């Protein structure tokens, strides 16, 4: 089949890690006889250098004309890069915010998966880790507290700040449907996280999630309060499959879950809209400290490419083959510097990409 993929290498290590992900996609296309047509787009500092802005309207239009976008990461060193002398709306990160908005990306997926080969990097005790964990955090991305009305006023010398947490049932329903659809492709368990003992928005969240659950009898739904969930993630992470939650709770819980895997260079992510379209990117930044040195771990980007195949192109087998190839290369003891431990073989960015591409078979 023919598919159009936009590639946004971005800044720092972005071009190096996207190059390796493309290598892996090319091998996948060859094995399964697909055609991937790539469109390379500029965003972030790379776009500022050429166009003076972090994202042009032409780039947005070109991205919309593809089936999915794979991004490296954007941004530079905030202390030294000239990009950060610009006004905030012209800085690299503004490009990403604009792209997310233009593409209507409301569902954010962040897997937290502990490879048994990388157990040493996990800060949790061996008896807590058990057989490892494989969690998918599904976070609502365009509503809630970060998008509600806000104000700061001063009256009689007293400053008062207000933020508003708003959700309507449609916003909740569409993310819940996505969460249950994804659970169907996994271990069929959804934990919906809220603060329904205090917040009205959480009580609505809970009741809409229950309505949606009726259409998914094969998926088990449970509810958990957010404070308990924060605790359970470090007490018994193995109990979770899909965690479905609103924007701010998801922001905090997804960082917590990724920290317990211990390896920032391994963590992929996806942001999806109403259609199959999505933006896929590693959870880490552009790591300017190691850019251009063949030191970056490309696995988070390669796993993001696997998510792109699964969620935007419905190529489940191919996505699984990429994930299995990553597992195989780790089993054989190859490591980039960020995940290196005694007795392993240290490899650079390009070699890691070669090794993973070589392990992709039908
Ligand atoms: P960072 O994630 O770029 O780096 C943090 C540390 O992790 C650094 O020591 C870095 O070398 C290391 N690291 C990160 N990814 C790695 C990888 N793949 N392999 C090996 N080591 C890796 O975070 P930061 O330093 O706070 O931010 C740097 C820039 O990235 C900033 O401009 C920031 O705004 C930007 N950023 C962009 C995104 C994005 O594009 N979505 C996300 C986060 C940060």
């Amino acid at each position: 089949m023919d598919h159009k993929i936009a590639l946004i290498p971005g800044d720092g290590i972005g071009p190096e890690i996207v190059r390796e992900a493309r290598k892996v996609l090319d091998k996948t296309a060859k094995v399964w006889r697909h055609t991937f047509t790539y469109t390379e787009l500029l965003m972030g500092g790379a776009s500022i250098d050429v166009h003076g802005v972090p994202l042009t309207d032409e780039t947005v239009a070109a991205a919309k004309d593809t089936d999915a976008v794979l991004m490296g990461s954007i941004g530079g060193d905030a202390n030294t890069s000239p990009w950060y002398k610009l006004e905030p709306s012209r800085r690299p990160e503004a490009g990403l915010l604009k792209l997310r908005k233009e593409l209507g990306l409301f569902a954010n997926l962040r897997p937290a998966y502990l490879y048994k080969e990388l157990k040493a990097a996990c800060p949790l005790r061996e008896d807590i880790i058990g057989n490892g964990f494989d969690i998918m955090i599904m976070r609502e991305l365009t509503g809630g507290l970060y998008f509600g009305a806000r104000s700061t006023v001063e009256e009689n010398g007293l400053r008062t700040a207000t933020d508003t947490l708003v959700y309507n049932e449609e916003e909740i329903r569409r993310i819940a449907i996505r969460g249950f659809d994804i659970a169907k492709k996994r271990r069929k368990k959804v934990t919906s996280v809220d603060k329904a003992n205090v917040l009205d928005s959480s009580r609505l969240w809970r009741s809409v999630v229950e309505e949606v659950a009726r259409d998914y009898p094969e998926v088990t739904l449970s509810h958990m309060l957010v404070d308990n969930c924060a605790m359970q993630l470090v007490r018994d992470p193995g109990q979770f499959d899909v965690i479905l939650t609103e924007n701010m709770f998801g922001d905090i819980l997804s960082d917590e879950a990724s920290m317990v895997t211990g390896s920032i260079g391994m963590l992929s992510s996806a942001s999806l809209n109403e259609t199959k379209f999505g933006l896929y990117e590693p959870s880490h930044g552009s790591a300017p400290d190691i850019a251009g040195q063949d030191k970056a771990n490309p696995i988070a980007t390669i796993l993001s490419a696997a998510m792109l195949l699964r969620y935007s192109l419905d190529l489940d087998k191919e996505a699984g083959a990429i994930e299995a190839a990553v597992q195989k290369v780790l089993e054989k003891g190859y490591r980039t510097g960020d995940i290196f431990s005694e007795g392993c073989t240290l490899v650079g960015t390009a070699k890691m990409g070669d090794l993973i591409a070589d392990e992709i078979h039908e």
Side-chain angles (χ1 to χ4, degrees), residues 13 71 73-76 84 93 96 100 264-265 281 283-290 295-297 338:
I13 59 171
M71 195 183 111
S73 49
I74 51 143
Y84 296 91
E93 288 71 16
L96 183 55
R100 285 182 177 149
I264 192 168
E281 55 176 321
S283 296
H284 58 71
S286 59
D289 52 331
I290 54 166
K295 282 185 179 164
N297 184 350
D338 58 315

Coordinates of all heavy atoms in Angstrom, one line a residue, residues 13 71 73-76 84 93 96 100 264-265 281 283-290 295-297 338, ligand 1:
I13 N 19.4 16.9 18.2 CA 19.5 15.5 17.8 C 18.4 15.0 16.8 O 18.5 13.9 16.3 CB 19.6 14.5 19.0 CG1 18.3 14.6 19.8 CG2 20.8 14.7 19.8 CD1 18.1 13.5 20.9
M71 N 8.0 13.2 14.0 CA 8.9 14.4 14.4 C 10.0 13.9 15.2 O 9.9 13.0 16.0 CB 8.0 15.3 15.1 CG 8.6 16.7 15.3 SD 7.4 17.7 16.3 CE 8.4 17.9 17.8
S73 N 12.7 16.3 17.4 CA 12.3 17.2 18.5 C 12.8 18.6 18.1 O 13.7 18.8 17.2 CB 12.9 16.8 19.8 OG 14.2 16.5 19.6
I74 N 12.3 19.6 18.7 CA 12.7 21.0 18.4 C 13.2 21.7 19.6 O 13.0 21.3 20.7 CB 11.4 21.7 17.8 CG1 10.2 21.6 18.7 CG2 11.1 21.3 16.4 CD1 9.4 22.8 18.8
G75 N 13.9 22.8 19.3 CA 14.4 23.7 20.4 C 15.9 23.6 20.5 O 16.5 22.6 20.1
G76 N 16.4 24.6 21.2 CA 17.9 24.6 21.4 C 18.2 24.9 22.9 O 17.3 24.8 23.7
Y84 N 16.1 32.0 21.4 CA 15.4 32.4 22.6 C 15.6 33.9 22.9 O 15.1 34.3 24.0 CB 15.9 31.5 23.8 CG 15.5 30.0 23.5 CD1 16.3 29.2 22.8 CD2 14.2 29.6 23.8 CE1 15.9 27.9 22.5 CE2 13.8 28.3 23.4 CZ 14.6 27.5 22.8 OH 14.2 26.2 22.4
E93 N 9.4 26.4 20.2 CA 8.2 25.7 20.8 C 6.9 26.2 20.3 O 5.9 25.4 20.3 CB 8.3 25.7 22.4 CG 9.4 24.9 23.0 CD 10.8 25.5 22.8 OE1 10.9 26.7 22.4 OE2 11.8 24.8 23.0
L96 N 5.5 24.1 17.6 CA 4.9 22.8 17.9 C 3.5 23.0 18.5 O 2.5 22.3 18.1 CB 5.7 22.1 19.0 CG 5.3 20.7 19.4 CD1 5.1 19.8 18.3 CD2 6.3 20.1 20.4
R100 N 0.1 21.4 16.8 CA -0.9 20.6 17.5 C -2.3 21.2 17.4 O -3.3 20.5 17.2 CB -0.5 20.6 19.0 CG 0.7 19.7 19.2 CD 1.0 19.6 20.7 NE 2.1 18.7 21.0 CZ 2.9 18.8 22.0 NH1 2.8 19.8 22.8 NH2 3.9 17.9 22.2
I264 N 14.8 7.9 29.3 CA 14.1 8.9 28.5 C 14.3 8.6 27.0 O 13.5 8.9 26.2 CB 14.6 10.3 28.9 CG1 13.7 11.4 28.3 CG2 16.1 10.6 28.6 CD1 13.8 12.7 28.8
G265 N 15.4 8.0 26.7 CA 15.7 7.8 25.2 C 14.9 6.7 24.6 O 15.0 6.4 23.4
E281 N 6.2 11.4 18.1 CA 7.4 12.0 18.4 C 8.0 11.4 19.7 O 7.2 10.9 20.5 CB 7.3 13.5 18.7 CG 6.2 13.8 19.7 CD 6.1 15.3 20.0 OE1 7.1 16.0 20.1 OE2 4.9 15.7 20.2
S283 N 9.4 11.3 23.5 CA 9.0 12.2 24.7 C 10.1 13.1 25.1 O 9.8 14.0 25.8 CB 8.6 11.3 25.9 OG 7.5 10.5 25.6
H284 N 11.3 12.8 24.7 CA 12.4 13.7 25.1 C 12.6 14.9 24.2 O 11.9 15.0 23.2 CB 13.7 12.9 25.1 CG 14.1 12.2 23.8 ND1 14.5 13.0 22.7 CD2 14.1 11.0 23.4 CE1 14.8 12.2 21.7 NE2 14.5 10.9 22.1
G285 N 13.5 15.8 24.6 CA 13.7 17.0 23.8 C 14.8 16.8 22.8 O 15.2 15.7 22.4
S286 N 15.4 18.0 22.4 CA 16.3 17.9 21.3 C 17.8 17.7 21.7 O 18.7 17.8 20.9 CB 16.2 19.3 20.5 OG 16.5 20.3 21.4
A287 N 18.0 17.5 23.0 CA 19.3 17.2 23.6 C 20.5 17.9 22.9 O 21.4 17.3 22.4 CB 19.5 15.7 23.5
P288 N 20.5 19.3 23.0 CA 21.5 20.0 22.3 C 22.9 19.6 22.8 O 23.9 19.7 22.0 CB 21.2 21.5 22.5 CG 20.1 21.5 23.4 CD 19.5 20.2 23.6
D289 N 23.0 19.1 24.0 CA 24.3 18.8 24.6 C 25.0 17.6 23.9 O 26.2 17.5 23.9 CB 24.2 18.5 26.1 CG 23.1 17.4 26.4 OD1 22.1 17.3 25.7 OD2 23.3 16.7 27.4
I290 N 24.3 16.8 23.1 CA 24.9 15.7 22.4 C 24.6 15.7 20.9 O 24.9 14.7 20.2 CB 24.5 14.3 23.0 CG1 22.9 14.2 23.1 CG2 25.0 14.1 24.4 CD1 22.4 12.7 23.3
K295 N 25.6 10.2 19.4 CA 25.4 9.6 20.7 C 24.0 9.4 21.1 O 23.7 8.8 22.1 CB 26.0 10.6 21.8 CG 27.5 10.6 21.8 CD 28.0 11.5 23.0 CE 29.5 11.5 23.1 NZ 29.9 12.6 24.0
A296 N 23.1 10.0 20.3 CA 21.6 10.0 20.7 C 21.0 8.6 20.6 O 21.4 7.9 19.6 CB 20.8 11.0 19.9
N297 N 20.2 8.3 21.5 CA 19.4 7.0 21.4 C 18.2 7.2 20.4 O 17.4 8.0 20.7 CB 18.9 6.6 22.8 CG 18.2 5.3 22.8 OD1 18.0 4.7 21.7 ND2 17.9 4.8 24.0
D338 N 23.2 6.4 26.8 CA 22.2 6.7 27.9 C 21.6 5.5 28.6 O 21.1 5.6 29.7 CB 21.0 7.5 27.3 CG 20.3 6.8 26.2 OD1 21.0 6.2 25.3 OD2 19.1 6.8 26.2
Ligands
LIG1 P1 16.1 16.9 26.7 O1 15.1 15.8 26.8 O2 16.5 17.4 25.4 O3 17.5 16.4 27.4 C1 17.6 16.0 28.8 C2 18.8 15.1 29.0 O4 18.5 13.8 28.4 C3 20.0 15.6 28.3 O5 21.2 15.3 29.1 C4 20.1 14.9 27.0 O6 21.4 14.6 26.5 C5 19.4 13.5 27.4 N1 18.7 12.9 26.3 C6 17.5 13.3 25.8 N2 17.1 12.6 24.7 C7 18.1 11.7 24.6 C8 18.3 10.6 23.6 N3 17.5 10.3 22.7 N4 19.5 9.9 23.8 C9 20.4 10.1 24.7 N5 20.2 11.1 25.6 C10 19.1 11.9 25.6 O7 15.6 18.1 27.6 P2 16.1 19.6 27.8 O8 17.6 19.6 27.8 O9 15.4 20.1 28.9 O10 15.6 20.4 26.5 C11 16.4 20.6 25.4 C12 15.6 21.3 24.3 O11 14.6 20.4 23.9 C13 14.9 22.6 24.8 O12 14.9 23.5 23.8 C14 13.5 22.1 25.0 O13 12.6 23.2 24.9 C15 13.3 21.1 23.9 N6 12.2 20.1 24.1 C16 11.5 19.8 23.0 C17 10.5 18.9 23.1 C18 9.7 18.6 21.8 O14 10.2 18.8 20.8 N7 8.6 18.0 22.0 C19 10.2 18.2 24.3 C20 11.0 18.6 25.4 C21 12.0 19.5 25.3

